[in-house]
Amino acid sequence: MSDKIRLVRNLILLGLPLLAMMLYFALKPMDYMSLEYPMWIEEKEFVTGRVDDRRDYDTLIIGDSRAKSSVLPAVLDESGNTYNMAIGGATPIEMYYALDRYLKAHEAPRSVFVIFAPYHFYDIDNYNQTLYFNYLDTGQILEVAREARGLYGEDKVAYKGWITDVISYKLRSPAKYLAAVYEALPAGKRAENTERYMQVRRDLGFTLFGTEESNNEPSYEVHEAEFKSSGVSSKYYERLLERLQAEGIAVTIEQAPLNPASYDNLRPEFLEGYTEYMDKIEKEHPEFTVVKEVPRYEAECFGDNNHLNRTGALKYTAMLKKRYF
Amino acid sequence: MVFNSVAYAIFFPIVAIIYLCLGTGAGNIWLLVSSYFFYMSADIRYGAILFGASLVTYISTNILEKTANNALLRKITAVMAVSIELLLLFFFKYFGFFNEMTGNYFEVSFLLPVGISFYVFQAVGYIIDVYRGDIRAEKNFVQAMLFTAFFPGILSGPISRAGELIPQFKVKHKFDYANVREGLVRMGWGLFMKLVIASRLSIVANLVYDNHTEANPVQLILGTFAYALQIYCDFASYSELAIGSAQCMGFKLRENFFQPFFATSSAELWRRWHMSLMSWFKDYLYIPLGGSRKGRLRKYVNILIVFTLSGLWHGAAWTYVLWGFLSGLFQVTGEILKKYRERIMELWPLKGRLAGLVHHGIKVFLTVFFFNVSLVFFRAKSISQAAEILKAVFTGFRFSDIAKTNVFELGLGYINLGILAFSLLILFAVDLARERGREPQKLLTGLSPALRWAAYYGMILMILLSTNIGAQRFIYFQF
C-alpha cells in the first residue's frame, strides 16, 4: 500500500466516527437536544405542513415565549381552528420566516394575533439557538445577514465567525453538538422531548415556561433605561406586518401581561418609547387593531418573572376571547 | 483565522495538498498568497503592514548584500532598516502606551495588527544576520516575502531565523507519510493542550482574578498556578499547531517549549520557555550588550535589560514591564546565590537517590514558585491588583485555609475537574517522556494498533467535548 493511500485510509478511519456522529446528530436530535427543541421542531413541522393532521387554520398566534405561554388556542376558539405558532426565544426574524413557510404550505388564515415582549424589538438574545436548532434555511440565514447590514443588532446575527458557525451547524459538527449528547447521558432526552412535543401538538402549539405558582420578580424590561426600536428585529417586525397586510389577513397586535414587580418598575422613558413605537405601527397600519396597553396581572398568574402560568394563561385567553371571539 | 477554528480545518488541508503538488516556484507563490489570505482574514488592513515590513526587509537586506565593501553605508542601511521595523512596532503597539504616559497628548490611536511583534522581530533578526555577514540576503522576492509571512508562525511564532527557514523554501517538498503523520499528531496534541487543558484552567484563573478581593490566599495561589499552567498549555499548544502544520508540508520550525516546569532554576526555565524569543533576545540584544564578557555586574545589568524589554515586548503596560524585570531579577538573584548554594552542597553533600530527588524537587518547586510570583503581574489588570494579590498571599496565608478551600468552588464542576486532572496527568506523562529524551509521537506509533487508535479517538473525543469551554482565544495573540 502506498503512503498516500495509507494516509487517506487512516484519515477516513479517523473521520468515520465523526461522520457517524454527524449523521446521528442530524437524524436523532430529539435524543439529546434541550427541552426547548421539541417546541421549535413542532412549530417548524406545523408551519411547513409536514404533520399527519395537516390542515388550514382560521386564526394563528405569532410571537415569542410570552405569546406561546399566554394563549391557549383550545380555550380561545373551541372550534379548534386556532393554532399558537409562537416560539420561545423567537424574535420577529424567526416569526417572519415561520409565516412565510406557513403561507407557502397553507391557505392564508383569516386573522392573526401578534404578541411580542417589548424587549424583543431591541434585543436578539437567542439567535445562536436559532442556528443551533437549524430552524432557518441557509438562504434565510444569508438574507438575515444581508438585511441586518448597518443596523443595530447586526452583531447578534452576523457576529464575528458567524459563517463558520453556520457551516458547523448545518454539517452538525460534533464540536457543536457533542457536548449536548454528553449532557443528555446516560438516559438521553428522547422520552421527555417526545412528551414535550406531543404536549405542544395536543395543546395546538401552547406550552408553559414557568412552573411556579406565583412570581413577582422583575422581567427583562425593568432593567432597560429606554426603549430602542431601531434594528434588525424591528425591521423584521415591519416585514412581518407588511406580509400580513399584503395577504389581507386581519391583524391584532396584543400585549402580554407583566407581573406587579415588572409593571410598577418599568421606567417611564421605556414605556413612553414603547408606546410611541406602537403608535407608529398603528399609524402605518390603520387597518390593524393595535392594543398598546400592557396588562398588569397579579403575581399568582406568573410561572416565572417573564411568563404566565396556567392560571394566568387561562385569564389572559379568556380576556382575548371576550374581546375578539 | 485561528488554528482552533473550522475555517482553519478547511483552509489548511487545501493549502497543504496544493502546495505538495506544486513545484518550488509555484509552491512558494501559493504559500505566499495563502499566508496573506490567512493573515488578512482577521482584518484586511493587516496585509499592508505586513507587506510594508517585508518590503523594507527585502530591500535593506539586498542593499546590505550589494554594499559589502562599504562599511558606513552598510551600517546606515542596517540602522535605518531596523529603525523602520521597530518604528512600525512602536506605532502600532506602543504608541498608545507612551501617549497615555504623556497624558494622551496626541488624540489618535492605531490599529494593533496581530502577530506584529513576532514578524517584526523575525525581520529584524534577518537584517542583523545579513549585516553581520552570517547569511546572504535572499534575492528571490517571493521567498524573502514568504519568510516574514509564512502562515504557521505569523500570528504567534515560533520566531524563525532566516538562515533556517529561507533555505527550506528552495527545496521541493514532497509528500512524506512520516512527516504528515507526525505533524498531524502534533496538531492534535496542540488542540488537546489548548481546548481540553488550557480552556478549563482559564475558568479557574479568570474566576479567581476577577474576584480576587473575595478569594482567600489558597484560592489566589490555586488561581495563579492555574494561570501558569494555562499560559504554558495555551502558548505551547499554539507552537505545536504551528510546528505541526509546517511539518505536514515538509518544513521544520524551531521548537518553542521544552518542559519549562521541569527546570531547576530561573535561568533554565527561561531557556525552556518561549525559546525562539529568548534565543532572539540572547543573540540580538544580550550578546551585543556584552553578555557575560564584561564582568559580573555588567552581566546582571544585561540580564535585567533583556528581561525588562522582553516584558515590554509582551505588552504595552507597566504590569508586563514589571513582570519582565522581576523575571530578570529572580535570574540574577539565582546567579548571585549560585556559589553559596554550591558551597553548601560541598559542605553537606547529599547522599542517596532519595536525597537527590528531594533536592531536585525543592529546586523545581522554588523555580516554579518564583515564576508564579512574577506571573501575578503578567495576569493582573494593574500593578495595584497584583500588589493586592501578593500581599493577600504573603501576609494572609494560613494553613487552615487549605482545609476551608473547596476546589469545586473554582468554577469547574466534578466532571470538568475530573477531565482536567486526567488531562494534566497525560500532560505530565508526555512532558516526562520528552524530558527523558523520548518523543511521545514515537512512543504512540510504537503502541499496538488497537491502543494507538484508542488514543487517537480518545484525544479527538476530548477535544470535541471541550470546544465550548472557557477561553478559546490564544493568549499570545495579543502580543
Side-chain angles (χ1 to χ4, degrees), chain A residues 3-4 6-7 9-11 13-18 21 160 164 167-168 173-179 182, chain B residues 5-8 10 41-42 175-178 180-181 184 415-416 419 453 456-457 460-462 464-465 467-468:
Chain A
D3 281 347
K4 280 181 191 166
R6 191 144 60 113
L7 180 72
R9 183 204 64 183
N10 287 349
L11 288 176
L13 277 176
L14 268 183
L16 269 180
L18 297 182
M21 277 185 212
K160 204 171 181 327
T164 43
I167 295 170
S168 306
S173 158
K176 296 285 184 196
Y177 293 95
L178 192 60
Y182 182 70
Chain B
S5 68
V6 175
Y8 190 73
I10 298 166
S41 62
F175 168 79
D176 181 280
Y177 180 73
V180 173
R181 183 179 62 184
L184 289 176
I415 292 170
N416 279 319
I419 291 174
W453 280 93
Y456 290 151
Y457 287 135
I460 290 173
L461 201 67
M462 287 179 82
L464 291 173
L465 275 173
T467 50
N468 294 315

Side-chain angles (χ1 to χ4, degrees), chain A residues 5-49:
Chain A
I5 293 174
R6 191 144 60 113
L7 180 72
V8 172
R9 183 204 64 183
N10 287 349
L11 288 176
I12 290 171
L13 277 176
L14 268 183
L16 269 180
L18 297 182
L19 213 65
M21 277 185 212
M22 287 154 88
L23 273 175
Y24 172 74
F25 298 147
L27 298 174
K28 300 280 181 187
M30 294 285 268
D31 282 5
Y32 61 89
M33 285 287 203
S34 68
L35 210 51
E36 293 266 306
Y37 180 76
M39 180 178 64
W40 284 68
I41 194 66
E42 188 279 334
E43 195 265 7
K44 194 173 177 180
E45 286 176 3
F46 167 75
V47 293
T48 51

Side-chain angles (χ1 to χ4, degrees), chain B residues 88 95 123 126 132-133 248 263 288 328 396 399 409 431 438 473:
Chain B
L88 269 178
F95 181 81
Y126 176 31
R132 284 174 178 167
C248 288
F399 279 100
E409 285 172 1
D431 275 4
R438 293 176 186 173
R473 192 181 150 86

Side-chain angles (χ1 to χ4, degrees), chain B residues 287-299:
Chain B
I287 292 173
L289 282 172
S292 57
R293 304 184 307 275
K294 296 188 175 175
R296 193 167 289 174
L297 184 66
R298 183 65 186 271
K299 178 187 172 183

